[in-house]
């Protein structure tokens, strides 16, 4: 049995967390008593897509890195992950246009290159947040679905609406191999409106509401004694969230128009920059907000000079 299939849910999450570390080529990766393999690729694409390929003689593991966030990020990572990837995905979903950011295409290229490099070897995929988004698109464009051993996705936006019919058919072939973990109290899991319109099988996490960042970073997950994640069946909370998201994604003309205006109207850009300044003045000790405000202003006002 491949080592990835021997891991508990808790161990798989610990492995996924390593995508946020700066793993080095040749580094040995172990989770508990399990040897996952050795890092053979450290991928940093020009568009900001980050991933690590880990191999052992029997199998290959790909870790797609998620967003660093405000505190750990810097202007370049924020620009690559948020302005060039996360926000365009949201805009595309709201406007029902299939506009695919470059990072997703880079993830797809990496997966197919890895399959070609390790012919006949089973590939295991992990991703959290933006990493889960990149993994979804990579799976939808996988040239050899039979090469996928399993995929474990955590807290990513459901990008089903961006897929072509061909891409939807392809991920449907792998549905039983893909485990998509969703905490509905995490705002990042936007778009989980129907369990059959998503990549893989829904694993509905048994969680409680908490602060957004903690919620997003597996804070709502709890585990059984055997290391499995505590899950729940579809309940009224899920159905209510599904109705709310469905309404947002199907009746969002005003929001789409607003997003478009922010990127095209100088007066609105100026008003947005002034509001950001007022927020920083109101929270003078919030260093992360100040850093984020600087980036927002530079993006909003870059075309005015």
């Amino acid at each position: 049995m491949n080592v990835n299939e021997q891991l508990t849910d808790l161990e798989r999450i610990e492995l996924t967390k390593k995508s946020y570390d700066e793993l080095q080529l040749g580094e040995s990766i172990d989770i508990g008593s399990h040897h996952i393999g050795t890092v053979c690729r450290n991928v940093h694409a020009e568009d900001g897509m980050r991933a690590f390929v880990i191999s052992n003689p029997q199998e290959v593991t790909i870790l797609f890195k998620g967003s660093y966030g405000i505190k750990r990020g810097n202007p370049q990572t924020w620009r690559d992950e948020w302005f060039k990837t996360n926000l365009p995905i949201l805009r595309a979903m709201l406007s029902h246009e299939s506009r695919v950011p470059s990072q997703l295409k880079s993830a797809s290229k990496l997966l197919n290159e890895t399959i070609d490099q390790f012919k006949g070897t089973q590939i295991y995929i992990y991703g959290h947040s933006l990493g889960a988004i990149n993994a979804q698109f990579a799976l939808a464009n996988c040239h050899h679905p039979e090469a996928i051993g399993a995929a474990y996705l955590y807290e990513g936006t459901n990008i089903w609406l961006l897929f072509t019919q061909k891409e939807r058919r392809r991920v449907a072939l792998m549905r039983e191999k893909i485990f998509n973990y969703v905490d509905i109290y995490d705002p990042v899991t936007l778009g989980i409106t129907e369990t059959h319109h998503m990549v893989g099988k829904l694993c509905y996490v048994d969680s409680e509401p908490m602060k957004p960042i903690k919620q997003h970073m597996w804070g709502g997950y709890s585990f059984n004694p055997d290391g499995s994640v505590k899950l729940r069946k579809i309940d009224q909370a899920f159905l209510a969230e599904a109705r709310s998201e469905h309404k947002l994604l199907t009746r969002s003309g005003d929001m789409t128009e607003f997003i478009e205006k922010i990127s095209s109207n100088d007066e609105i850009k100026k008003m947005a920059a002034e509001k950001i300044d007022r927020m920083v003045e109101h929270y003078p000790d919030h260093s992360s907000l100040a850093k984020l405000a600087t980036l927002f202003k530079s993006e909003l006002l870059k075309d005015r000079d």
Side-chain angles (χ1 to χ4, degrees):
M1 181 186 295
N2 288 338
V3 66
N4 275 277
E5 296 175 8
Q6 300 175 38
L7 302 179
T8 66
D9 290 336
L10 180 58
E11 289 170 332
R12 290 192 179 102
I13 289 172
E14 291 304 310
L15 177 57
T16 307
K17 288 179 179 179
K18 286 191 174 293
S19 67
Y20 290 98
D21 297 337
E22 286 300 325
L23 304 180
Q24 302 300 311
L25 287 177
E27 182 175 346
S28 179
I29 305 300
D30 298 284
I31 299 294
S33 61
H34 303 284
H35 177 62
I36 307 302
T38 302
V39 178
C40 60
R41 287 192 70 181
N42 178 343
V43 182
H44 193 167
E46 290 185 4
D47 53 29
M49 192 279 292
R50 295 295 309 275
F52 301 98
V53 180
I54 304 166
S55 64
N56 67 43
Q58 287 76 42
E59 67 208 285
V60 173
T61 302
I62 300 178
L63 306 181
F64 286 107
K65 190 190 80 64
S67 305
Y68 269 119
I70 296 174
K71 291 186 177 180
R72 292 188 60 189
N74 57 51
Q76 181 178 345
T77 59
W78 293 333
R79 184 173 291 111
D80 291 339
E81 295 168 0
W82 292 99
F83 286 101
K84 292 185 179 179
T85 306
N86 291 341
L87 292 181
I89 287 171
L90 175 60
R91 180 192 290 182
M93 290 175 66
L94 292 173
S95 61
H96 304 285
E97 294 182 19
S98 184
R99 292 180 285 188
V100 178
S102 176
Q103 275 206 33
L104 279 65
K105 297 176 182 179
S106 293
S108 175
K109 179 182 178 182
L110 170 64
L111 175 57
N112 286 315
E113 286 178 351
T114 303
I115 292 172
D116 289 341
Q117 180 181 355
F118 296 92
K119 284 182 169 42
T121 303
Q122 290 287 279
I123 311 293
Y124 293 85
I125 297 171
Y126 296 80
H128 172 260
S129 189
L130 175 58
I133 294 172
N134 283 335
Q136 287 179 69
F137 191 80
L139 288 162
N141 289 274
C142 176
H143 295 163
H144 299 282
E146 71 279 1
I148 304 301
Y152 302 91
L153 313 179
Y154 304 92
E155 306 308 308
T157 299
N158 180 9
I159 61 170
W160 181 269
L161 287 173
L162 304 187
F163 289 162
T164 65
Q165 289 301 320
K166 181 178 180 181
E167 290 166 341
R168 292 175 181 179
R169 288 193 295 269
R170 186 174 288 121
V171 291
L173 296 174
M174 296 176 277
R175 186 175 189 275
E176 297 302 313
K177 299 179 180 180
I178 305 170
F179 303 87
N180 199 329
Y181 291 82
V182 174
D183 178 344
I184 62 166
Y185 298 113
D186 177 3
V188 175
T189 60
L190 177 69
I192 305 297
T193 57
E194 295 180 272
T195 57
H196 57 288
H197 285 170
M198 63 185 297
V199 177
K201 298 186 295 184
L202 172 67
C203 300
Y204 178 26
V205 177
D206 186 7
S207 65
E208 298 295 334
M210 57 189 63
K211 292 183 178 180
I213 294 178
K214 183 178 181 181
Q215 194 99 51
H216 183 54
M217 299 305 295
W218 292 283
Y221 285 55
S222 57
F223 302 87
N224 297 305
D226 64 356
S228 60
V229 174
K230 290 184 179 180
L231 302 176
R232 65 173 70 165
K233 295 181 179 179
I234 300 299
D235 57 12
Q236 289 302 314
F238 179 89
L239 294 174
E241 189 76 6
R243 285 192 293 269
S244 173
E245 292 183 5
H246 182 74
K247 183 177 180 180
L248 171 66
L249 295 172
T250 57
R251 301 178 183 177
S252 52
D254 291 343
M255 187 178 294
T256 305
E257 183 179 358
F258 176 72
I259 292 173
E260 295 289 348
K261 283 182 177 179
I262 282 182
S263 60
S264 62
N265 187 294
D266 286 341
E267 189 61 29
I268 291 180
K269 288 180 181 181
K270 181 180 178 181
M271 291 171 59
E274 290 173 350
K275 184 167 184 176
I276 290 169
D277 282 336
R278 289 196 298 272
M279 289 174 63
V280 173
E281 291 173 3
H282 189 65
Y283 301 102
D285 297 326
H286 202 312
S287 58
S288 296
L289 177 60
K291 289 193 294 183
L292 185 60
T294 300
L295 176 61
F296 265 98
K297 288 174 65 178
S298 68
E299 290 292 323
L300 288 170
L301 303 176
K302 65 182 179 181
D303 296 326
R304 295 185 68 207
D305 297 332

